[in-house]
Structure formats: C-alpha cells, structure tokens
Amino acid sequence: MKSSTKWLFSILIVVLLGVSIFAISKMYLSFKKDVDDKKWFKETAKEITYDENDDNTDNGIAELTLDNTDCIGWVRIENTKIDFPVMHTKSDPEFYLRRNFNKKHSNLGTPFADAACDIEYSKNIIIYGHNMKDGTMFSDLMKYKRKDYGINNPIIQFITPNGCNRYIVCAVAKVKSDDDWYTYINETDEEIFNEIKTKLQDEALYLINGELNYEDFYLTLSTCEYSQKDGRLIVIARRSDINC
C-alpha cells in the first residue's frame, strides 16, 4: 500500500508540474504577444504623418489599407497613448475586438468603427477600443473624466487616405452600452437628434466648446467604464473646418 501510495503521489506531482509548466508557458506566450502587438502599434504610428502642405495625402494610411483592406484610418490624440489604426468590418462588427491588425488573436484587440459607419457620409463616426488595466489602448480616455483635461487636450485627429480631419472635444459622458447616442450615426430627423442630444446633455460629465448641433459631424470614442454595470465612457468631438 505504501509503495502504491508513493507511486500515485509521484504521478500526481508529475501531472501538477506538467499543468503548471503549460499554464506558465501559455501566460508567457500571451504576454509576449501583447508586447509584440504594442510594439507594432508604436512602430507603425511613426509612419503615419500629416502635413497640410504636402500633396501626398495618403500619409502612410494607403499602404496600411493595402496590407489590410479592413483598415479605414488612424486615430490619434497627442499627449495620450491613443495612436492606433481604425478597422471596419460591416459583416462581422466586433471582428477586431480580440484580433490585431493582422487578424491574429490579441488580448488588446484593434480599435474599430461601428459597423453602420461610413467615414465619408456618417454624421457620427463611433470608434470602440479596450480600456486595458495596463493603461494601453483606449484607457487614456479615462483622463477625459476631468473637465480641465478635456479643455487642455481637445483635439482628436482622424487620418484617412483622403487627408486628416481635426475634431474638437465637446462632450464627455458616462453611459450604458445601449445608450441612444450609439444609434446616432447616419442622417436622421432633426427632432430625433434633439431628443438624443437632450438625453446626452443630462448624462454628460461636462460640455465644452459649444453646443451640439444637428448640422455638425462628430467623432465618438467609446471604451468600457467600470463604475457601473455595462458602463461606457464616450468622448464626443465635433469636426472642425480646419484640417490637422
């Protein structure tokens, strides 16, 4: 019995050791993958530039769209870590929720536009990104909870093959994932817009840089916000007549 017990104990130790090695290896590979994805974002961001005096309007974006036709642009906010490609997949809206630019599994995912959006015509382009615990991806949107931060960092750039649009932050709100603002993407009745706007103004942490107007075009960045169940933080910016 003692010999049998010892043998079973040895087998258990070997099994536990194997499981531990497998788990550690999996964690390491996941960590390494995250590091590689972060490096890709950082290195690629250096190639995305915009010069209003340069006739070459692709500014690195055209090459990206050739590498992956799901890429529609690049979103950038100075003084933050938000400097990423924007993907768009109408038939599979959350395809890039857990995939990198090269369509491989990624804990970080890649920011993506709402499936209903059209970057040329939509009144409100909504872009989703993760709020990662390590402070990457769209985590820096949390800084916009403070009105002074929004006042001092109001500019969001959205660079596409057609050029670069500058958006000015005008509202920040904590909402639920099914908030009515997410339904405002394409042209709608002005009365409906005003209803959505009124609700948003009631929810907003603050409003700056003028009123929300039906005639304007907007860019909305959205990420998870954990102070409420199924919460989201949205940073809404109005398109400026001045390019980047």
Side-chain angles (χ1 to χ4, degrees), residues 142-161:
M142 293 298 115
K143 296 178 179 179
Y144 282 92
K145 287 183 178 181
R146 305 195 323 265
K147 186 175 182 178
D148 63 320
Y149 192 87
I151 290 172
N152 293 320
N153 299 273
I155 298 173
I156 301 175
Q157 294 180 334
F158 186 44
I159 307 169
T160 73

Side-chain angles (χ1 to χ4, degrees), residues 75 85-87 111-114 117 125-129 138 141 158 219-223:
V75 62
V86 177
M87 316 305 284
F112 59 93
D114 192 286
C117 288
I125 299 171
I126 304 175
I127 301 174
Y128 305 94
F138 274 15
L141 289 184
F158 186 44
L219 180 73
T220 299
L221 304 187
S222 173
T223 194

Side-chain angles (χ1 to χ4, degrees), residues 16-235:
L16 290 175
L17 183 60
V19 170
S20 297
I21 292 173
F22 175 78
I24 292 171
S25 298
K26 191 173 182 179
M27 288 174 62
Y28 171 75
L29 291 174
S30 180
F31 173 77
K32 185 178 184 301
K33 188 68 173 62
D34 288 353
V35 170
D36 290 343
D37 288 340
K38 291 174 189 176
K39 182 178 179 181
W40 186 91
F41 285 134
K42 187 173 182 179
E43 292 300 315
T44 306
K46 296 176 183 177
E47 302 171 9
I48 308 302
T49 60
Y50 183 78
D51 182 354
E52 62 183 2
N53 298 314
D54 187 351
D55 291 334
N56 177 21
T57 58
D58 65 70
N59 304 295
I61 292 294
E63 185 176 346
L64 277 187
T65 60
L66 288 175
D67 292 340
N68 186 338
T69 56
D70 292 337
C71 181
I72 59 171
W74 193 278
V75 62
R76 171 175 290 157
I77 307 178
E78 292 186 4
N79 303 319
T80 75
K81 297 175 184 176
I82 297 173
D83 206 359
F84 301 112
V86 177
M87 316 305 284
H88 192 221
T89 47
K90 287 187 176 182
S91 61
D92 190 354
E94 296 188 345
F95 181 83
Y96 286 94
L97 185 69
R98 292 296 178 188
R99 287 184 174 89
N100 63 17
F101 182 86
N102 296 310
K103 303 183 180 181
K104 304 296 183 180
H105 176 77
S106 170
N107 294 320
L108 306 178
T110 308
F112 59 93
D114 192 286
C117 288
D118 184 308
I119 62 170
E120 294 296 326
Y121 303 107
S122 291
K123 295 294 293 284
N124 182 25
I125 299 171
I126 304 175
I127 301 174
Y128 305 94
H130 287 300
N131 178 7
M132 304 297 290
K133 292 181 180 179
D134 64 358
T136 56
M137 305 314 293
F138 274 15
S139 298
D140 271 356
L141 289 184
M142 293 298 115
K143 296 178 179 179
Y144 282 92
K145 287 183 178 181
R146 305 195 323 265
K147 186 175 182 178
D148 63 320
Y149 192 87
I151 290 172
N152 293 320
N153 299 273
I155 298 173
I156 301 175
Q157 294 180 334
F158 186 44
I159 307 169
T160 73
N162 296 325
C164 178
N165 284 319
R166 176 188 300 224
Y167 290 82
I168 310 299
V169 173
C170 55
V172 177
K174 292 197 300 182
V175 300
K176 297 280 192 172
S177 63
D178 60 353
D179 191 83
D180 288 346
W181 185 257
Y182 290 109
T183 69
Y184 181 63
I185 293 176
N186 297 311
E187 193 76 43
T188 188
D189 185 90
E190 186 171 0
E191 184 176 346
I192 295 175
F193 169 79
N194 287 332
E195 291 175 359
I196 295 173
K197 179 183 76 169
T198 298
K199 183 172 181 286
L200 177 71
Q201 289 173 337
D202 291 338
E203 297 169 330
L205 296 176
Y206 59 86
L207 303 169
I208 55 176
N209 299 315
E211 292 285 329
L212 297 172
N213 295 309
Y214 178 69
E215 296 79 13
D216 291 328
F217 288 80
Y218 298 94
L219 180 73
T220 299
L221 304 187
S222 173
T223 194
C224 290
E225 199 281 326
Y226 301 112
S227 69
Q228 60 178 328
K229 185 178 180 181
D230 201 27
R232 300 290 186 271
L233 184 78
I234 53 174
V235 175

